[in-house]
Amino acid sequence: MYRKIKKVLIANRGEIAVRIIRACQEMEIASVAVYSDADRSSPHVLKADEAYRLGPPPSRESYLAMEKIIEIATRVGADAIHPGYGFLSENADFAQKVLDAGIEFIGPRPASIRAMGDKTEARKLVRSAGVPTVPGTPDAVDDLSIVRQFADEYGYPILIKAAAGGGGKGMRVVHSADELSAAFSGAQSEARSAFGDARVYVEKYLEKPRHIEFQILADKHGNTVHLGERECSIQRRHQKVIEETPSVIMDDEMRRKMGEMAVAAAKACRYENAGTIECLVDKDRNYYFLEMNTRLQVEHPITEMRTGIDLVHQQLRIAMGEKLPFAQHDITFRGHAIECRIYAEDSLNGFLPSTGRVTHLKPAQGFGIREDRGIEQGGEISVYYDPMISKLVAHGQTREEAIAKLKRALKEYEILGVKVNIPFNLFVLNHPAFVQGDFDTHFIAKYFEPGALPFPTEQEERVAALVAAMLEEGTIALRLKGELAGSANHHPASSKWQQKRFDALR
Ligand code: MV4
């Protein structure tokens, strides 16, 4: 079963591509980047051993172009493809095409992706393994009377969900019988346009849940372990903002029970590689399986910091057919890790993406701080992709220490050219309810209003815009907090860099 991987193609961009390339370098595996025209001088292209153009910036012509990606992998002799997250990472057809080309897919088998991608199928599968799920209809429903029957039996509120769904699309909360009909057809048509599949099913709606997920690892020999939980309740419109581990509501006993449940859920679909079991937990600490994410997740670093286990190394070893080098009892947890996402967005104006050139970038450093980023000073935040600039991770001995370190790092972070959500992150980290651990998935909807942020005056905005423009032009160098922070001329356009980029374009 052992199959050495000597070269990996990374079918992704940004920070996760860089993260995976670094793991390849550490394991002396050659790395192959692919890129769109918008990314031709991005860090993932510069860092990889080889880089190949996919096409124009739109994802469907670049990072979603399955055939192009597989053709490049075949041509350059890649033994494996790592899909990262997003894009093709949970596309069972892509995973199958990769295998059909004789290339290893670094992730689960296509059948597992498919089983977990259908939400009613996934629920049935894990239920049969004894995993608790929220009360709901076992199958998709196309008849309003069955929905009404369910609501009459379990009471309102209920939640209509897309069977092909996930991520909150095609979801409708129904509070009373008179809303039912409109919500049902609304969910169906939203599901049809989002997934090309109008099927919906129904669950009892949990009103104030926490979102807690478990990281699992499974090898090809039937060994499956969990790496503890991540508390992901702090999110805005299904976009996570802050993640931490451990969750303040967890204790060793609950972690052991939920961990066993997560392992059972993974085993139910004969899961392989890294995956995440998403759960809802109510105020009485009852927990329910929600869905499985069959990929490496954005927030995986907090688990790495608390367990000391490099998840991408493990993914690569599993793909090579190696056995997990640890059993459940070998996995230990140390301290507290917390991550926030730095997005190029305007928190004061409806969180609109803020595009443009990053004219100045001096990220935070120091003991207990890790930053995963896929853009450098001089790089461009475009309209084509997710506006995440960076993931800032703090690890400390206690929750208080980790929060203090993350706050310090956010205040130290210097970035100009685009608006970023640093003040918004600080708002959450300073909020008394967050500090006390007293929150659920509605935290931001409940507490946040733009007035809560220390918004700049019109004059400050004008000065900032002027400074950014002068930096870009190279007419000034910026001094911040008394330190020379580097001028706009300090673009990474060294001759070595130019050469590498030239190679990449050939
Ligand atoms: C729920 C729920 C309450 N009750 N299911 C949101 C996306 C998808 N993963 C499932 N989601 C939810 N399912 C029942 N039966 C509340 C949510 C939910 C949510 C879940 C996790 C994190 C943030 C959320 C925000 C709103 C709703």
Side-chain angles (χ1 to χ4, degrees):
M1 211 184 241
Y2 184 81
R3 177 180 166 182
K4 178 79 184 148
I5 292 174
K6 299 197 206 78
K7 192 187 263 197
V8 172
L9 182 146
I10 298 98
N12 215 300
R13 63 181 301 282
E15 67 85 19
I16 196 63
V18 171
R19 165 76 189 87
I20 297 160
I21 292 165
R22 286 186 171 132
C24 289
Q25 289 169 342
E26 287 154 6
M27 294 174 69
E28 299 188 9
I29 294 169
S31 53
V32 181
V34 288
Y35 60 92
S36 76
D37 291 336
D39 285 335
R40 64 186 186 276
S41 51
S42 292
H44 79 282
V45 174
L46 305 180
K47 273 204 158 56
D49 296 310
E50 299 170 43
Y52 299 90
R53 176 181 181 269
L54 287 169
S59 299
R60 99 195 102 73
E61 294 178 77
S62 53
Y63 301 103
L64 291 175
M66 303 192 219
E67 311 293 344
K68 279 187 202 172
I69 292 166
I70 294 169
E71 184 273 313
I72 293 168
T74 304
R75 184 154 50 85
V76 305
D79 314 297
I81 293 180
H82 196 308
Y85 53 68
F87 296 121
L88 297 168
S89 61
E90 294 184 284
N91 185 318
D93 294 336
F94 177 66
Q96 187 62 58
K97 283 177 201 284
V98 171
L99 299 182
D100 291 346
I103 298 167
E104 182 70 17
F105 179 78
I106 303 176
R109 293 169 307 104
S112 304
I113 302 178
R114 205 163 269 129
M116 288 304 184
D118 183 318
K119 303 306 161 186
T120 55
E121 187 74 16
R123 279 166 51 88
K124 275 189 220 169
L125 204 58
V126 305
R127 274 174 68 84
S128 69
V131 172
T133 57
V134 186
T137 58
D139 294 296
V141 286
D142 55 8
D143 184 348
L144 188 62
S145 69
I146 299 186
V147 183
R148 190 170 288 119
Q149 212 179 314
F150 178 86
D152 290 342
E153 187 176 346
Y154 289 92
Y156 290 93
I158 60 165
L159 183 60
I160 306 175
K161 292 186 172 183
K169 279 192 200 117
M171 266 180 31
R172 285 284 199 290
V173 185
V174 188
H175 295 279
S176 63
D178 50 298
E179 297 170 13
L180 202 61
S181 173
F184 185 58
S185 43
Q188 282 177 322
S189 56
E190 202 175 308
R192 187 183 297 108
S193 57
F195 309 107
D197 181 346
R199 289 175 308 131
V200 297
Y201 67 106
V202 185
E203 283 180 3
K204 175 74 190 154
Y205 180 62
L206 302 186
E207 300 203 55
K208 290 176 179 176
R210 284 177 179 255
H211 172 162
I212 294 181
E213 59 186 31
F214 269 73
Q215 177 70 53
I216 67 102
L217 280 176
D219 67 21
K220 293 178 193 271
H221 306 270
N223 304 301
T224 306
V225 297
H226 75 82
L227 276 69
E229 79 280 10
R230 293 186 288 257
E231 163 69 73
C232 300
S233 299
I234 306 293
Q235 52 77 45
R236 194 191 141 267
R237 302 199 180 166
H238 305 296
Q239 172 122 285
K240 289 167 189 161
V241 177
I242 290 182
E243 306 99 356
E244 62 179 317
T245 183
S247 166
V248 298
I249 65 155
M250 196 70 63
D251 57 32
D252 290 348
E253 173 64 7
M254 187 176 175
R255 181 172 302 110
R256 192 184 58 72
K257 276 208 222 133
M258 282 186 79
E260 274 174 19
M261 175 273 312
V263 167
K267 285 189 167 171
C269 69
R270 302 205 297 123
Y271 200 80
E272 252 177 55
N273 218 285
T276 298
I277 305 294
E278 256 188 46
C279 300
L280 292 181
V281 181
D282 68 19
K283 46 193 172 310
D284 302 319
R285 304 211 300 171
N286 298 308
Y287 54 85
Y288 308 93
F289 169 90
L290 202 56
E291 49 194 79
M292 181 168 196
N293 299 316
T294 56
R295 59 168 193 276
L296 182 68
Q297 289 196 259
V298 178
E299 59 273 22
H300 78 275
I302 58 172
T303 298
E304 297 186 318
M305 300 313 283
R306 191 163 129 82
T307 60
I309 293 169
D310 188 308
L311 286 167
V312 182
H313 285 196
Q314 292 307 324
Q315 285 195 291
L316 290 160
R317 293 191 186 288
I318 289 166
M320 289 193 241
E322 290 186 21
K323 287 187 174 161
L324 287 177
F326 34 68
Q328 190 63 57
H329 66 264
D330 297 316
I331 295 165
T332 56
F333 303 100
R334 219 183 90 230
H336 196 101
I338 179 164
E339 170 182 290
C340 69
R341 303 181 185 194
I342 299 183
Y343 286 109
E345 64 184 19
D346 186 354
S347 315
L348 287 172
N349 286 302
F351 297 85
L352 282 178
S354 172
T355 56
R357 188 176 301 282
V358 176
T359 52
H360 171 81
L361 181 63
K362 196 178 165 203
Q365 298 182 329
F367 178 36
I369 295 297
R370 163 179 175 179
E371 195 205 12
D372 282 23
R373 175 164 41 84
I375 183 170
E376 299 287 353
Q377 180 169 305
E380 190 96 29
I381 304 294
S382 75
V383 296
Y384 298 104
Y385 316 111
D386 184 277
M388 192 174 75
I389 290 175
S390 175
K391 303 187 307 206
L392 207 49
V393 188
H395 185 228
Q397 290 194 299
T398 61
R399 184 170 191 262
E400 292 66 36
E401 188 178 292
I403 292 173
K405 281 176 184 279
L406 189 59
K407 279 161 59 176
R408 186 273 295 164
L410 282 164
K411 289 182 225 168
E412 185 174 301
Y413 209 99
E414 296 176 9
I415 181 162
L416 289 174
V418 292
K419 290 186 176 167
V420 292
N421 65 345
I422 288 176
F424 178 64
N425 277 309
L426 285 167
F427 162 80
V428 176
L429 294 171
N430 282 316
H431 197 283
F434 179 79
V435 172
Q436 284 156 38
D438 176 19
F439 55 82
D440 56 51
T441 54
H442 304 292
F443 176 90
I444 286 164
K446 182 171 173 191
Y447 294 114
F448 179 71
E449 44 180 357
L453 297 179
F455 58 89
T457 65
E458 216 174 296
Q459 188 183 353
E460 282 168 328
E461 293 256 34
R462 276 204 305 276
V463 171
L466 183 65
V467 168
M470 289 171 83
L471 277 166
E472 176 142 32
E473 222 177 68
T475 51
I476 57 161
L478 185 63
R479 262 170 212 281
L480 285 165
K481 294 169 196 152
E483 274 176 71
L484 183 65
S487 75
N489 285 331
H490 185 68
H491 188 269
S494 68
S495 57
K496 186 176 158 225
W497 181 85
Q498 290 287 9
Q499 185 61 47
K500 188 113 184 255
R501 167 176 154 172
F502 182 74
D503 289 346
L505 291 170
R506 267 198 307 221

